[in-house]
Amino acid sequence: MARAARRRLAAALAVIAGIAFGTPLESREIGFTSIDIGVSTIENFEPGRAGTTFGALEFRGGLVLRSHDPDFGALSGLDFMPDGSLLAAADTSSWFSARLVESGGRLVGIEAARLAPMLAADGRPLAGKRQGDAESLRVVTRDGRTDAVVSFEMRNDVRHFAALPDVSLSKPAAVPLPKAVSGIRRTAGLEALAAAPEASVFGGALAIVAERSLDAKGNHRGWILGGPRRGAFSIVRSGDFDVTDAAFLPGGDLLILERF
């Protein structure tokens, strides 16, 4: 497995828990500021089981993150920037940036942790949960431009921010969505966002899936935004599980993370 793929797998399987003591970041200074983070490692993916292999997946380590900064926590979406640094979106309308520390192929810590408020189109920090309930994040490079694409659950919209040179100073632009998305219940809105490989049958298009918005057959609803396969699709629902995140594999298969 290529190093980039191993790093993505390590982050995808990391259990990252933020202990938050505060409220959204409307009053925080614009731009990234450094914060102190306490880290402890999670040694086993499943309590009481020492194994590291689970089907086709290998557990590469997990972290519990703690900070006394009142604005830290509620991390919802994770991805990597082109330079290998970790970028996260929090549902308190903030960005979190850090570098992963690995030892012997395992995730053991982070360094250079930073926090910043997300900006609205007017250049001011997003205000309140309704405006800034970020749930999923994908860093996408197309035609020489790198964007941080974020789905927002309470507003049921998707916005893209110029990720370079500094995502924390970027004003968002809206991603056009199907009309059907506007009718999704806000507390069960756009939870999952994935970017297909350009070489796949989806031609690099974005896919969005609602947390719990069911079609006539009781299955989860999703949409492919643009590309040769643009349109709606459904995901067969498993029990009472809700969709919480998604990612395309290199071959074009869509990997869904669910929770109960």
Side-chain angles (χ1 to χ4, degrees), residues 145-193:
R145 173 190 170 101
T146 300
D147 284 328
V149 188
V150 183
S151 68
F152 292 84
E153 182 180 23
M154 293 291 286
R155 291 179 58 87
N156 283 322
D157 67 358
V158 178
R159 305 168 213 170
H160 63 87
F161 301 77
L164 299 174
D166 188 343
V167 70
S168 70
L169 304 180
S170 176
K171 302 175 186 178
V175 175
L177 300 178
K179 291 183 178 179
V181 171
S182 61
I184 299 175
R185 182 163 52 92
R186 289 174 177 168
T187 55
L190 298 181
E191 187 86 10
L193 171 69

Side-chain angles (χ1 to χ4, degrees), residues 21-218:
F21 300 94
T23 56
L25 288 81
E26 298 98 316
S27 60
R28 197 179 185 102
E29 181 180 348
I30 292 174
F32 277 116
T33 56
S34 298
I35 62 170
D36 292 325
I37 297 288
V39 180
S40 57
T41 59
I42 299 172
E43 299 300 329
N44 300 316
F45 181 71
E46 183 177 338
R49 181 177 173 183
T52 59
T53 302
F54 300 85
L57 301 180
E58 180 184 6
F59 178 58
R60 302 299 297 274
L63 304 175
V64 177
L65 308 180
R66 298 181 176 87
S67 177
H68 290 292
D69 189 300
D71 295 318
F72 175 73
L75 304 182
S76 296
L78 308 173
D79 208 346
F80 288 98
M81 295 286 284
D83 66 358
S85 61
L86 177 72
L87 182 66
D91 64 16
T92 52
S93 64
S94 63
W95 301 109
F96 174 75
S97 175
R99 288 192 174 275
L100 300 182
V101 178
E102 297 179 53
S103 177
R106 290 184 61 82
L107 182 63
V108 297
I110 64 168
E111 59 187 13
R114 302 182 301 162
L115 200 66
M118 287 183 176
L119 301 185
D122 62 4
R124 294 185 295 181
L126 286 169
K129 185 77 168 178
R130 183 170 181 178
Q131 296 293 322
D133 186 14
E135 291 296 343
S136 190
L137 163 71
R138 288 293 170 261
V139 176
V140 181
T141 299
R142 299 283 189 270
D143 301 321
R145 173 190 170 101
T146 300
D147 284 328
V149 188
V150 183
S151 68
F152 292 84
E153 182 180 23
M154 293 291 286
R155 291 179 58 87
N156 283 322
D157 67 358
V158 178
R159 305 168 213 170
H160 63 87
F161 301 77
L164 299 174
D166 188 343
V167 70
S168 70
L169 304 180
S170 176
K171 302 175 186 178
V175 175
L177 300 178
K179 291 183 178 179
V181 171
S182 61
I184 299 175
R185 182 163 52 92
R186 289 174 177 168
T187 55
L190 298 181
E191 187 86 10
L193 171 69
E198 290 190 87
S200 72
V201 296
F202 302 104
L206 295 172
I208 54 174
V209 185
E211 178 182 7
R212 186 192 283 253
S213 178
L214 309 181
D215 62 16
K217 295 182 179 180

